[in-house]
Amino acid sequence: MKILVVDDETDVRDLFQQRFRREIRSGEMSFSFAFSGEEAMTYLRAHHSEVLIILSDINMPGMSGLELLSHVKEEFEMPPTTMMMITAYGDDESYSKAMELGANDFLTKPVDFAVLKDKLLQLIP
Amino acid sequence: MCFRLSLLVLLLLSGLNSAGAAPLPVPAQSRTVDSLRQLLAQPQPDTLRVTVLCQLSDQLWTQRTDSAAVYARKALALARSIGYRQGEGEALNRLGAALRESNLARSLELFQQSLRIAKATRDRALEAQNLRSIGIIYVYLRDKRQGLSYYFRALKIAEELRAERRIVLELSNIGLAYDLFDQLDSAKLFQERAFALARRLRTPTNYILYGLGNVARKEGKLDQAAAFYRESIAESKKVRHLRSLNFAYVGMATLYQQMGRLDSSIYYARLGCQAGQTNGFLRGVLNASTLLTKDFKVRGWPDSALKYQSMMLVMKDTLFGQEKVMRLQSLNYREQQRAQEAAASQAALKTRYRTYAFVAGLVGLLTLALLLGRHARQQQRAREALEESLGELKTAQEQLVQREKMAFLGELTAGIAHELQNPLNFVKNFAEVSTDLVDEITGEHRDPTRNSGLEQEILAGLKQNLQKISQHGQRATSIIKGMLEHSRTGTSHREATNLNALVEESLRLAYQGVRTKEKEFNAQLTTAFAPDLPLVSVAPQDLGRVLINLFTNAFHAVQQRQRQDGQPAYQPEVTVSTRAVAGGVEIHIRDNGTGMSEKVKAKIFQPFFTTKAVGEGTGLGLSLSHDIVTTGHGGSLLVESEVNAGTEFIVALPA
């Protein structure tokens, strides 16, 4: 299962790689990283069919997570199954906007990795 | 109506033009100085001598300030030696006017002394004179409310006395004050009233013409402005008024600078500088040398620019160093003065009573001693009450400033708390995964078939995590350090600063500050930073504070508009751009929020003015920001606004 993580904090990569070390080693999950909405779009255009899940931060400079979500839904006929929006502001407006745009789930920062792992494992076919 | 009035003024002016062109053999003013000196050489009663000395000081003030001070001191000494109270009051006012450039605080003290004498001797004209003099000091200090309130009190007395010449001066001064604070309509109204009256009385209009020129220039009527300035120059020369001559030259130079005609601007600014120097009018020299510095810089003559820049800095030091101290100590001064005066009058009273007592004998002495005791007690009580209320006033003022600072810090901390969340999450997460890694080597999950490759990998991971923890700890430290710098009091030093970075940081902090309070709030942030912006020497904490304040205001404005019209199509937007301009840099902060009416716009830089609900804002934010930009950095803070379209603030800083 390939997961694309989008966040402007670059250390998120090291963190995810360690948090999911066992899953990565066993081949259950594989992660790719993009550090902006724009970068994520470029990556998706090249690897569209591989990515199953996108995890994206909402507040990023340039293209925001919500904009990324709407671009993804527009551009790809078969968008990646799940899109979890991660935001530091647990506000209702961002939540309803994300849901309206077709997000499948919504998480609030700081991320509880145990919960995230559960949610991801449930998605594995 | 307004249009017709200005037409009339123009017609009158063209009449004056031809009159002014005829050369006058002997300037009227210098005849007066000569005849006054002659009068002084003849035997006179001493009270009349005091008056003549004061008049001489008046005449010389327009030409050489230090000579004016000499005669004012002579008048004061004579008046005191013969116990001529009214003359003493007159002389004190003259001395104050002559010292206004070199020692603002002493000057204020002298005016206040003179004002008290005027009240005690019921000399209404002298009272009005001092109200005006004190008003000028407050206008110097950019305290619009106080300055205008003194001016209007002076005007009221002049009207009660039907002293029309005085009314002309008061009207024109009020006009100039409005001009200084860019309230053009009011400035024009008062100058036109002053002009009409002055024409009727056939009194000089040199200052009024300058004021009218400024209004015309700021309204973009450049030809009209040039005509006014030219008239003012001609008339100032005629009456030998070097101060108004300096003003008019500087006005003309500013006009040419605005038109991009640098050679003409330099020509007039030099003349203005000379006039100011001859007179000892430091402020005038400062204005002229500021213009020259800019002109020469743009012209590309660094040597000349440097020469005038150093002159400008010397003037600034003398003037503003002293003003800063003044502002803080103005309350102290008043308090000390009153205490001193109370003590002095008490002492005088004592001596008088003692003389009577010797005559009246022992009984009288006893009675008087009793009276004296009571009187002293009463005075003591009055003084204590006065000191107490002054103390309360001071505390209240300090509290208000403190409250504004706390409000600002509140906004700041909200933003910073959010900033801290990210690094702290990383610290926590990397520590947790490290624990897992250690468990894997030593604990329950230990692989029985020891795999040395895996162990190496885990150790490398551990090392990396520790580095990350340290990095994010450092990041948190520097965020907190930044906050402490923002809250730090005392003198802030200037350093060469990358304004783009400062603006971006402030924008982020302000946005997060607002978002933490109003989670639902979203706005489109657009930045356009000039890539080639030079480093600018500023006090980063102070300027950061100004920027955060302006951004926070912008966010409030868009938020308010969103709430008010409730249209889903409305997209709140805050735009900031930086750009290099001739002689400095500009930061433009624009929002598409509620905007302001002209009435509100005119007041926003006044201390304690706020549109927020009672208890929500201190009304000091923009006033302090204005102070930091203008007095602190020698720049300007301008605002443009339209109701329901938005507001734009422009911070202009000299390079």
Side-chain angles (χ1 to χ4, degrees):
Chain A
M1 181 168 62
K2 185 146 193 157
I3 298 157
L4 174 65
V5 181
V6 191
D7 198 314
D8 58 320
E9 291 268 8
T10 47
D11 275 351
V12 158
R13 177 174 50 199
D14 294 321
L15 187 61
F16 269 74
Q17 279 172 347
Q18 298 218 29
R19 282 286 190 183
F20 292 95
R21 223 165 57 84
R22 243 169 270 144
E23 289 77 5
I24 294 169
R25 198 156 3 112
S26 70
E28 265 178 297
M29 297 179 186
S30 93
F31 287 89
S32 300
F33 298 88
F35 302 118
S36 70
E38 290 84 351
E39 207 178 300
M41 283 307 289
T42 318
Y43 184 87
L44 282 171
R45 282 181 195 129
H47 307 269
H48 171 227
S49 54
E50 303 158 31
V51 177
L52 282 179
I53 297 172
I54 301 173
L55 278 174
S56 173
D57 186 16
I58 287 186
N59 263 77
M60 293 182 290
M63 188 190 291
S64 76
L66 292 174
E67 281 168 334
L68 171 66
L69 175 57
S70 66
H71 284 310
V72 167
K73 295 277 168 183
E74 244 170 54
E75 197 167 313
F76 302 107
E77 228 169 273
M78 293 273 293
T81 4
T82 299
M83 180 101 172
M84 296 187 190
M85 307 306 291
I86 306 171
T87 171
Y89 308 102
D91 57 303
D92 295 343
E93 199 192 318
S94 296
Y95 175 79
S96 52
K97 211 164 183 180
M99 289 305 169
E100 206 177 288
L101 287 170
N104 302 66
D105 209 336
F106 193 87
L107 291 172
T108 307
K109 272 186 183 172
V111 174
D112 184 333
F113 277 88
V115 173
L116 177 61
K117 204 173 279 186
D118 273 354
K119 288 192 179 208
L120 290 175
L121 286 171
Q122 276 174 17
L123 290 167
I124 289 176
Chain B
M1 175 63 206
C2 219
F3 181 61
R4 247 174 51 207
L5 203 63
S6 61
L7 251 182
L8 187 71
V9 171
L10 271 180
L11 284 174
L12 280 169
L13 276 176
S14 43
L16 190 80
N17 199 358
S18 51
L24 280 170
V26 184
Q29 217 67 26
S30 81
R31 258 211 313 262
T32 325
V33 171
D34 290 343
S35 63
L36 284 169
R37 281 201 173 119
Q38 272 172 21
L39 212 59
L40 214 56
Q42 288 156 19
Q44 311 272 353
D46 279 341
T47 49
L48 193 60
R49 271 189 109 71
V50 172
T51 312
V52 173
L53 284 166
C54 284
Q55 280 172 0
L56 249 173
S57 177
D58 277 346
Q59 299 299 343
L60 287 167
W61 182 78
T62 63
Q63 295 161 33
R64 293 199 67 97
T65 311
D66 39 6
S67 313
V70 170
Y71 281 100
R73 284 210 175 86
K74 278 188 189 168
L76 183 60
L78 183 58
R80 280 186 176 154
S81 75
I82 57 173
Y84 176 35
R85 286 282 275 167
Q86 217 157 341
E88 184 185 347
E90 297 279 355
L92 283 167
N93 179 274
R94 267 45 171 212
L95 189 56
L99 293 182
R100 194 155 44 206
E101 294 306 318
S102 51
N103 191 342
L104 207 52
R106 174 89 185 113
S107 159
L108 177 58
E109 211 178 334
L110 290 166
F111 291 141
Q112 283 174 339
Q113 270 181 39
S114 177
L115 181 61
R116 274 195 293 276
I117 292 179
K119 279 181 180 162
T121 56
R122 293 175 203 280
D123 185 341
R124 300 278 280 161
L126 182 60
E127 186 183 343
Q129 177 74 29
N130 278 303
L131 291 173
R132 179 205 304 158
S133 304
I134 294 172
I136 293 176
I137 287 190
Y138 281 107
V139 171
Y140 271 1
L141 294 174
R142 296 293 186 273
D143 185 339
K144 187 170 100 179
R145 208 160 51 166
Q146 285 272 27
L148 281 174
S149 127
Y150 276 100
Y151 281 172
F152 276 108
R153 277 161 67 194
L155 178 63
K156 191 161 165 267
I157 294 178
E159 281 170 348
E160 281 166 18
L161 295 175
R162 296 181 200 283
E164 289 189 305
R165 281 162 182 266
R166 192 171 278 288
I167 293 176
V168 170
L169 292 175
E170 310 301 359
L171 288 173
S172 166
N173 262 336
I174 292 172
L176 284 177
Y178 277 123
D179 167 55
L180 192 65
F181 297 107
D182 287 329
Q183 281 172 257
L184 298 187
D185 290 346
S186 307
K188 194 168 170 181
L189 189 78
F190 279 94
Q191 296 293 15
E192 278 170 353
R193 275 177 67 191
F195 190 80
L197 187 55
R199 291 275 92 191
R200 187 158 68 70
L201 301 171
R202 297 177 194 284
T203 55
T205 52
N206 44 342
Y207 268 119
I208 308 173
L209 287 164
Y210 161 73
L212 286 168
N214 270 4
V215 172
R217 176 171 59 77
K218 289 181 182 174
E219 284 179 344
K221 298 173 187 161
L222 303 184
D223 290 347
Q224 226 184 72
F228 279 128
Y229 289 140
R230 216 168 287 129
E231 290 311 318
S232 177
I233 291 170
E235 204 178 311
S236 301
K237 278 184 184 165
K238 205 170 80 183
V239 298
R240 282 203 161 184
H241 200 307
L242 291 182
R243 284 182 181 238
S244 73
L245 187 60
N246 163 277
F247 275 118
Y249 277 141
V250 167
M252 196 70 127
T254 314
L255 177 68
Y256 279 120
Q257 190 179 65
Q258 218 168 306
M259 292 161 68
R261 289 172 56 182
L262 292 184
D263 287 337
S264 304
S265 176
I266 289 170
Y267 172 76
Y268 281 106
R270 272 192 167 141
L271 288 176
C273 196
Q274 257 170 24
Q277 277 174 323
T278 313
N279 181 264
F281 180 36
L282 302 189
R283 263 182 185 72
V285 178
L286 171 64
N287 292 338
S289 53
T290 309
L291 279 170
L292 282 165
T293 309
K294 200 173 165 189
D295 282 344
F296 280 122
K297 263 189 195 160
V298 179
R299 198 84 172 65
W301 292 352
D303 288 354
S304 305
L306 202 67
K307 175 183 156 198
Y308 285 103
Q309 189 168 33
S310 52
M311 186 188 283
M312 184 175 101
L313 290 178
V314 171
M315 295 297 145
K316 265 193 181 164
D317 263 14
T318 335
L319 290 168
F320 299 130
Q322 144 202 344
E323 275 174 14
K324 257 187 200 160
V325 178
M326 267 278 312
R327 214 185 286 239
L328 292 171
Q329 293 188 341
S330 67
L331 272 172
N332 270 345
Y333 270 112
R334 243 173 283 163
E335 190 185 24
Q336 278 169 11
Q337 273 170 21
R338 292 206 185 140
Q340 269 168 15
E341 208 200 23
S345 69
Q346 218 177 333
L349 222 67
K350 268 186 195 159
T351 4
R352 202 160 38 168
Y353 280 149
R354 233 176 255 144
T355 326
Y356 292 152
F358 275 119
V359 182
L362 196 62
V363 183
L365 185 71
L366 273 172
T367 333
L368 279 173
L370 272 171
L371 272 174
L372 195 67
R374 229 181 97 204
H375 187 88
R377 263 207 314 282
Q378 272 171 356
Q379 274 220 337
Q380 180 70 24
R381 240 175 276 149
R383 206 171 62 193
E384 274 166 11
L386 197 73
E387 271 165 11
E388 198 181 324
S389 64
L390 274 168
E392 278 167 15
L393 214 86
K394 241 175 18 182
T395 323
Q397 196 190 26
E398 275 160 16
Q399 276 171 350
L400 268 167
V401 171
Q402 189 61 24
R403 223 176 99 192
E404 167 61 26
K405 224 170 110 186
M406 294 314 289
F408 171 75
L409 270 183
E411 268 158 22
L412 195 68
T413 15
I416 281 166
H418 178 83
E419 288 271 282
L420 275 177
Q421 217 168 32
N422 272 338
L424 288 180
N425 276 333
F426 276 118
V427 168
K428 176 171 160 275
N429 272 304
F430 280 117
E432 277 174 17
V433 289
S434 300
T435 317
D436 289 349
L437 288 178
V438 173
D439 277 350
E440 219 164 310
I441 305 180
T442 61
E444 296 155 22
H445 301 290
R446 186 175 165 178
D447 192 342
T449 59
R450 259 183 115 95
N451 179 338
S452 76
L454 180 66
E455 252 171 44
Q456 282 306 313
E457 189 192 316
I458 288 174
L459 284 174
L462 271 176
K463 186 177 174 192
Q464 186 203 356
N465 288 354
L466 290 174
Q467 277 166 350
K468 296 280 178 207
I469 289 172
S470 157
Q471 272 167 23
H472 286 282
Q474 187 54 45
R475 187 172 151 198
T477 309
S478 51
I479 291 169
I480 288 172
K481 204 175 128 208
M483 182 174 93
L484 290 178
E485 270 171 10
H486 275 295
S487 66
R488 202 180 56 180
T489 49
T491 52
S492 38
H493 61 279
R494 291 197 187 192
E495 53 196 76
T497 305
N498 176 354
L499 279 187
N500 286 343
L502 185 67
V503 169
E504 196 167 23
E505 187 202 354
S506 309
L507 175 65
R508 208 180 58 234
L509 285 175
Y511 188 53
Q512 275 157 2
V514 175
R515 293 257 324 198
T516 331
K517 264 190 254 165
E518 300 278 338
K519 284 188 173 174
E520 315 289 318
F521 177 69
N522 273 299
Q524 168 84 35
L525 310 182
T526 314
T527 54
F529 294 131
D532 53 346
L533 205 66
L535 292 183
V536 182
S537 164
V538 297
Q541 292 89 33
D542 288 356
L543 198 65
R545 195 176 156 169
V546 171
L547 292 168
I548 289 176
N549 184 256
L550 293 177
F551 284 130
T552 308
N553 284 346
F555 289 132
H556 283 153
V558 292
Q559 200 177 14
Q560 211 180 346
R561 181 157 173 206
Q562 195 170 32
R563 274 189 207 138
Q564 273 171 12
D565 65 16
Q567 282 176 7
Y570 174 70
Q571 171 65 40
E573 183 175 5
V574 174
T575 311
V576 55
S577 61
T578 56
R579 55 188 83 154
V581 295
V585 295
E586 282 181 4
I587 306 166
H588 292 244
I589 296 170
R590 200 172 66 233
D591 65 69
N592 62 350
T594 46
M596 291 177 275
S597 65
E598 281 295 317
K599 224 170 123 189
V600 172
K601 202 181 99 179
K603 289 187 192 157
I604 52 168
F605 295 126
Q606 287 177 16
F608 309 117
F609 176 77
T610 175
T611 55
K612 293 181 190 156
V614 177
E616 268 186 40
T618 58
L620 282 175
L622 276 176
S623 133
L624 288 178
S625 295
H626 189 261
D627 246 33
I628 291 172
V629 175
T630 54
T631 318
H633 289 86
S636 62
L637 180 58
L638 303 174
V639 59
E640 280 158 22
S641 186
E642 199 181 317
V643 175
N644 281 330
T647 301
E648 176 164 359
F649 278 95
I650 301 159
V651 184
L653 297 166

